[in-house]
Amino acid sequence: MSLVILLVTGYGWSNYRHLLNGLATSDVAEGGGADGAVDILLVGMDSRTDAHGNPLPENVLRELHAGSNDASLTDTIIMLHIPNDGSSAVGFSFPRDSYVSIPGQGQHKINSAYGRGKEAEIASQQKRGVNDPAALDRAGNDAGRKLLLRTVENLTGSSIDHYAEVNLLGFAQITEAVGGVPVCLNSATSDSYSGADFKAGQQTIKGPDALAFVRQRHGLPRGDLDRVVRQQAFLAGLASTALSGGVLANPNKLRELISSVQDSVVLDLGEDTDVLSFAERLRGLAGGAIKFDTIPIEDAAYDTPDGEALKVDPRAVKAAVRAATLPPGAPGSPAPQPQTTSASPSEEGASTRVDVLNGTRTSGLASKVQDRLSGQGVKVGTVGNTSKRNSSVVRYGPGGESAAQEVASLLGGMPTESDSSLSSGRVQVLVGSDYDGPSGPRFSPGGALALDGTARQQSSDTPEQAPISAAGIPCVN
């Protein structure tokens, strides 16, 4: 028994040291606050180099359908929030064309933050007399990562603890190492730009095909917004596959995974990060506890000096992130499901009733708000119209204040006010023309996808996702 323990421990430690010895690292995050969770910024780089700055061979670029591109652009940006108890996780996607405030740079598309930070740092280093290309590239990349991280922190109000970056080659290699990732498409698709050529239905993809799957935007009904949903569905499948015992307990697959991570992933580990214990915590998420969502979008065709972009409201983004990441039961956290022990508006008493009235010219908006509330376990009574109004508000009668605050947070932080004309426990949602919260006409560009394959919170202007397949893989465009 002692010999077996020694051999197993030695094997695990050998793999751990092998990973750390060849890993590319970058000192990016200054460390978030002690908020009971770990926030990680996951970034997919449209890069033609490996994690150590070495150019990718031409034959590899051709296989990956990656043309020449000297710009440092980020194709994928996701903030992953993991509570310290490892019970669940939520990932927020930031579409690459989101028009946001970049510290020191003004308003621009979020995928340019990395490149802008890199260019500014290289120019600064050159003025100081630094001319070594490798040193300039290293300093520039670190500055670009830091600026992107600060941009996301300012937009969400979150403190990010760690940073993880993967390039084009690495993405393909990681999917090979885990043996492929299951995905499902609503219909067949073909795109010469990304190399995507897929049949409809469920299939397992890896390598260049996996890269094409998450990069395609031409030929999709909603372009980049559908690509974001694809990335979420793919990451759900990848996480389930990689965190399963079939990969972590297989010596050959584990070695291949470590090798691909060394070649293609840049991590900000921090001095206090225990990779082994953190990985063990993540294993508990493989049972369906990861869900993915997208930041709220106000206008999907917003004209800017940088071209057409996606307009976002930082206040709505902060409210959505806060509602999704707060611990259950905390003020402003999502409504508990009816089967839990926490009280929801429908459980605070038989007299509690939530009515939704539409005071805008947008037909069917009250019903969409009802769907949003019902999906969170809130029972809605009357749904109808009211006189035209500019401002949205949640009113409540005696004893309905806590329920009103909960409903308001679910709808993007809507204001609340007491109304003595309402009966005891009654809550009334009045939707005005300023409404841009969840289920509104300008809300999120896609449904939130959970690791177990369930689809949540569909967009108001797109059809719902196709039914989930028997294997629990969400079908997407």
Side-chain angles (χ1 to χ4, degrees):
M1 179 62 71
S2 299
L3 179 61
V4 170
I5 293 175
L6 178 62
L7 289 174
V8 172
T9 304
Y11 172 73
W13 180 251
S14 173
N15 277 317
Y16 178 50
R17 299 310 308 172
H18 177 51
L19 170 63
L20 293 186
N21 288 339
L23 193 63
T25 60
S26 177
D27 184 14
V28 180
E30 296 180 357
D35 56 0
V38 174
D39 292 292
I40 306 173
L41 189 63
L42 307 178
V43 176
M45 287 295 298
D46 186 8
S47 171
R48 273 63 176 169
T49 62
D50 65 16
H52 303 280
N54 303 311
L56 300 180
E58 287 297 324
N59 63 317
V60 173
L61 292 176
R62 284 194 300 270
E63 185 180 5
L64 298 177
H65 294 272
S68 60
N69 183 7
D70 295 329
S72 298
L73 299 175
T74 47
D75 266 351
T76 305
I77 305 172
I78 295 176
M79 186 184 76
L80 186 63
H81 178 88
I82 309 173
N84 287 339
D85 62 8
S87 60
S88 62
V90 58
F92 270 93
S93 292
F94 302 81
R96 51 179 276 166
D97 289 341
S98 301
Y99 204 63
V100 302
S101 176
I102 300 177
Q105 300 286 333
Q107 294 280 125
H108 297 286
K109 294 180 181 180
I110 195 170
N111 74 326
S112 70
Y114 190 114
R116 292 177 185 277
K118 179 177 180 177
E119 291 175 4
E121 180 63 21
I122 289 178
S124 175
Q125 292 289 332
Q126 288 174 331
K127 287 182 179 179
R128 298 175 185 173
V130 179
N131 296 312
D132 177 50
L136 289 173
D137 190 64
R138 185 165 52 251
N141 286 332
D142 283 345
R145 292 164 186 144
K146 290 179 180 179
L147 185 57
L148 174 59
L149 185 142
R150 286 175 55 204
T151 299
V152 174
E153 285 186 330
N154 290 351
L155 181 62
T156 62
S158 300
S159 295
I160 296 175
D161 301 277
H162 300 295
Y163 176 96
E165 173 188 309
V166 64
N167 59 32
L168 300 179
L169 175 62
F171 188 91
Q173 289 179 331
I174 289 172
T175 60
E176 294 272 12
V178 300
V181 175
V183 298
C184 182
L185 287 175
N186 290 325
S187 58
T189 182
S190 179
D191 171 41
S192 60
Y193 293 96
S194 64
D197 187 7
F198 302 107
K199 62 183 180 180
Q202 185 175 329
Q203 52 211 289
T204 298
I205 59 177
K206 58 184 178 181
D209 285 342
L211 183 62
F213 181 87
V214 298
R215 294 189 74 207
Q216 182 185 0
R217 60 187 175 118
H218 297 281
L220 299 183
R222 301 179 306 152
D224 194 50
L225 298 184
D226 275 332
R227 175 164 66 172
V228 168
V229 176
R230 270 203 193 182
Q231 292 170 350
Q232 294 171 347
F234 184 89
L235 283 175
L238 176 61
S240 179
T241 302
L243 295 175
S244 69
V247 172
L248 298 181
N250 185 310
N252 292 329
K253 286 188 176 182
L254 186 58
R255 281 283 180 177
E256 290 177 14
L257 182 59
I258 289 175
S259 178
S260 63
V261 166
Q262 288 176 334
D263 291 339
S264 57
V265 174
V266 178
L267 294 179
D268 172 21
L269 295 175
E271 296 180 356
D272 60 343
T273 302
D274 183 343
V275 178
L276 288 178
S277 62
F278 185 68
E280 184 64 28
R281 184 194 311 170
L282 292 181
R283 292 186 63 179
L285 296 173
I290 299 179
K291 66 177 181 179
F292 293 95
D293 207 343
T294 308
I295 63 169
I297 301 299
E298 284 195 323
D299 186 352
Y302 185 51
D303 290 328
T304 76
D306 295 346
E308 189 174 279
L310 303 175
K311 184 180 181 181
V312 301
D313 179 359
R315 293 173 300 178
V317 173
K318 287 182 174 65
V321 171
R322 177 176 172 79
T325 58
L326 282 177
S333 62
Q337 295 299 317
Q339 65 268 27
T340 64
T341 57
S342 301
S344 68
S346 61
E347 295 171 325
E348 291 188 348
S351 59
T352 301
R353 191 179 80 181
V354 179
D355 300 329
V356 180
L357 302 177
N358 182 11
T360 76
R361 295 179 179 178
T362 303
S363 178
L365 183 55
S367 295
K368 292 169 184 174
V369 173
Q370 175 195 24
D371 292 341
R372 163 64 177 171
L373 296 176
S374 298
Q376 295 296 318
V378 178
K379 291 184 179 179
V380 178
T382 301
V383 177
N385 298 316
T386 186
S387 56
K388 184 180 177 181
R389 55 183 297 115
N390 295 323
S391 59
S392 301
V393 68
V394 178
R395 293 176 176 170
Y396 58 90
E401 182 176 3
S402 60
Q405 291 176 346
E406 185 178 283
V407 169
S409 68
L410 290 174
L411 300 178
M414 192 180 290
T416 63
E417 63 181 37
S418 174
D419 188 340
S420 58
S421 67
L422 298 178
S423 59
S424 178
R426 186 178 176 187
V427 175
Q428 189 179 72
V429 178
L430 300 178
V431 183
S433 58
D434 66 340
Y435 179 69
D436 60 359
S439 296
R442 296 172 287 174
F443 186 60
S444 176
L449 295 173
L451 182 60
D452 56 7
T454 57
R456 314 174 197 272
Q457 194 177 307
Q458 302 298 325
S459 168
S460 62
D461 57 353
T462 58
E464 293 187 358
Q465 296 286 347
I468 304 304
S469 67
I473 306 301
C475 286
V476 297
N477 288 329

